[in-house]
Amino acid sequence: DASSSGKVCTRFDLEKETELRFEVEAGEAADQVEMELLTGMAEVFGSELNRNKKYTFGPGSKIAVFTWQGCSVNLYGKPEVAYVSKDTPMLLYLNTHAALEQMRKQAERENERGPRVMVVGPTDVGKSTVCRMLLSYAVRVGRRPTLVELDVGQSGVSVPGTVSALCIERPADVEEGFSVQAPLVYHFGSTTPGTNIKLYNKLTSCLAEVFSQRCEVNRKASVGGCIINTCGWVKGSGYQALVHCASTFQVDVVLVLDHERLYNELKRDLPHFVRVVLLPKSGGVVERSKECRRETRDEKIREYFYGFRGLSFFPFSFEVRFSDVRIYKIGAPSIPDSCLPLGMSQDDTQLKLVPVTPGRDLTYHMLSVSSVDDGDEDARKSIVESPVCGFIVVTNVDTQAQVMKVLSPAPRPLPRHTLLIMDIRFMDMK
Ligand code: ATP
């Protein structure tokens, strides 16, 4: 088989409780790498592998194949690195899952709610991966946990610049991650919470409220609890945002990855009944450069419009008249307190809808399509706190004709007229 595809084949025999780590070279020209489990049992980030099935990983993938009992694996192609490590924190992660599962059992018995877990730590410690594992383990034992994605830089659920929630109903696909159906997505607008921390905290509270409402009517969701993935910004307002999140979600458990100071600070500042746990990061987590993060973001947007692997989407391109839409930016530039109109606070300016006059500088910007239209003053107020129904990208602006051309996942007309501008831009190279 190896010869039929013309790829180099390398076999790895893994002892129990070890993992094979490999990375696929990044860049468009790079070759993908295939992986096949030959004997024994193994998993990738909490999802079990089928034997004799070839899994394909594209450029830039960083994968760990972990085995509890021992196994052998073939790699086809030329990974940038591939090695077996005996030193993994997997047992600690599994124990964490076991503890959460105990809490769910207790919740079931005592008619209470299941664990709400917040995963925190600096960038590149494997937060998203730990969330993925804990969620996959939980569904594998029949739970229906919710993933709350607060990482506006590298969202695992929707495009960058958003926060979201997703009910998890099956383990993550080994190659593609969680299947994203009907997520609840809110517009934030940029890739770091710092650009508008008030808005970030507000949206965190919105998600918490929606999740709590769902728990009230859905017993399985309540018992399953949630796993909250956060940003890697853990100082200053970033830290305050974590404390805010813990309080608004009423989290029971905080998992701190590889950051002792953060662990101590949270232990000090959170109520005593919150269990704060320090966990090591995996040596397999690779640091990602700014460039690499940008590429991942671009890829995520491309996926939104064009689909992924076997599933291709065919986006539409059409013209939208300026007069048919209303474009807003959330948050006015801050002004000194002394200059604020009477009765207005900085909070108000950061959550304010500021009308945007369409111009050439709109080109390449992503726009969120709000789920509400700004019919009257009340509706306008609710826009900031309402979910979005999709995204478009402006590909061209004609100020003379007063129209803009957009890339959209659905044909015209746009489902709503209220558009929210993001700082994020996307240049379509297709
Ligand atoms: P960020 O703060 O940027 O969101 P993060 O802390 O959430 O980062 P992850 O996205 O979970 O980090 O992990 C970074 C990369 O490391 C991912 O590509 C992931 O696939 C890879 N990775 C995680 N664990 C391992 C491992 N044990 N072996 C090899 N690669 C791993």
Side-chain angles (χ1 to χ4, degrees), residues 19 21 45 62-64 122-129 151 154 232 282 284-286 288 293:
E19 71 185 17
R21 295 174 185 158
F45 305 140
K62 301 172 176 63
I63 304 297
T123 49
D124 296 323
V125 288
K127 291 184 296 298
S128 318
T129 308
D151 189 348
Q154 312 274 320
S282 165
V285 182
V286 194
R288 289 172 293 177
R293 280 166 194 279

Side-chain angles (χ1 to χ4, degrees), residues 151-199:
D151 189 348
V152 288
Q154 312 274 320
S155 170
V157 175
S158 187
V159 297
T162 60
V163 295
S164 49
L166 181 70
C167 310
I168 305 295
E169 308 202 305
R170 62 189 83 102
D173 181 87
V174 171
E175 296 161 317
E176 299 178 15
F178 289 112
S179 110
V180 178
Q181 272 157 11
L184 183 71
V185 183
Y186 290 86
H187 167 98
F188 177 67
S190 98
T191 56
T192 138
T195 39
N196 191 339
I197 199 76
K198 289 272 155 49
L199 175 61

Side-chain angles (χ1 to χ4, degrees), residues 75-141:
L75 288 188
Y76 304 94
K78 286 199 197 105
E80 203 171 11
V81 277
Y83 65 97
V84 175
S85 173
K86 292 186 172 159
D87 186 16
T88 91
M90 285 295 283
L91 198 57
L92 290 171
Y93 295 168
L94 185 72
N95 283 342
T96 307
H97 158 71
L100 297 178
E101 188 47 29
Q102 282 311 314
M103 292 170 81
R104 292 187 189 104
K105 285 201 172 119
Q106 187 179 344
E108 224 163 26
R109 270 196 313 270
E110 297 175 9
N111 205 20
E112 287 189 9
R113 61 175 178 76
R116 299 179 173 191
V117 185
M118 181 170 85
V119 179
V120 303
T123 49
D124 296 323
V125 288
K127 291 184 296 298
S128 318
T129 308
V130 168
C131 291
R132 174 170 165 172
M133 273 187 241
L134 294 175
L135 290 161
S136 286
Y137 287 151
V139 258
R140 281 169 66 179
V141 294

Side-chain angles (χ1 to χ4, degrees), residues 304 367-371 388-392 409 415:
Y304 175 78
L367 302 174
S368 304
V369 182
S370 176
S371 60
V388 296
C389 45
F391 307 92
I392 54 176

Side-chain angles (χ1 to χ4, degrees), residues 224-402:
C226 67
I227 310 273
I228 308 168
N229 189 25
T230 60
C231 289
W233 183 31
V234 297
K235 288 188 192 150
S237 309
Y239 176 76
Q240 290 308 328
L242 295 178
V243 174
H244 170 79
C245 174
S247 115
T248 189
F249 268 94
Q250 299 181 303
V251 302
D252 311 285
V253 179
V254 179
L255 304 176
V256 185
L257 284 174
D258 196 50
H259 201 305
E260 214 171 325
R261 203 193 64 217
L262 180 62
Y263 163 76
N264 282 313
E265 284 172 340
L266 288 168
K267 256 177 72 147
R268 182 194 64 205
D269 294 344
L270 296 180
H272 66 274
F273 52 80
V274 179
R275 288 188 229 179
V276 185
V277 183
L278 183 64
L279 288 173
K281 74 166 182 189
S282 165
V285 182
V286 194
E287 239 176 75
R288 289 172 293 177
S289 61
K290 268 213 168 98
E291 179 61 18
C292 175
R293 280 166 194 279
R294 226 206 52 234
E295 267 169 32
T296 318
R297 284 203 280 269
D298 258 21
E299 198 43 49
K300 204 77 204 169
I301 301 172
R302 190 176 311 284
E303 266 171 38
Y304 175 78
F305 289 107
Y306 290 100
F308 190 55
R309 303 201 179 199
L311 190 64
S312 295
F313 302 151
F314 300 94
F316 298 82
S317 178
F318 53 85
E319 283 182 342
V320 176
R321 280 203 304 253
F322 293 167
S323 56
D324 286 343
V325 291
R326 260 177 294 274
I327 308 174
Y328 296 103
K329 177 182 173 353
I330 303 180
S334 63
I335 41 176
D337 281 334
S338 57
C339 303
L340 284 170
L342 208 61
M344 207 176 174
S345 72
Q346 288 294 356
D347 289 26
D348 301 327
T349 63
Q350 286 207 300
L351 299 178
K352 210 175 138 133
L353 280 183
V354 185
V356 174
T357 317
R360 290 282 272 287
D361 51 358
L362 214 57
T363 319
Y364 303 130
H365 273 277
M366 295 260 300
L367 302 174
S368 304
V369 182
S370 176
S371 60
V372 284
D373 269 333
D374 62 345
D376 53 41
E377 184 62 23
D378 277 351
R380 197 165 314 139
K381 273 196 189 134
S382 70
I383 288 173
V384 174
E385 298 167 39
S386 301
V388 296
C389 45
F391 307 92
I392 54 176
V393 170
V394 180
T395 52
N396 193 27
V397 178
D398 185 341
T399 43
Q400 285 262 292
Q402 294 278 294

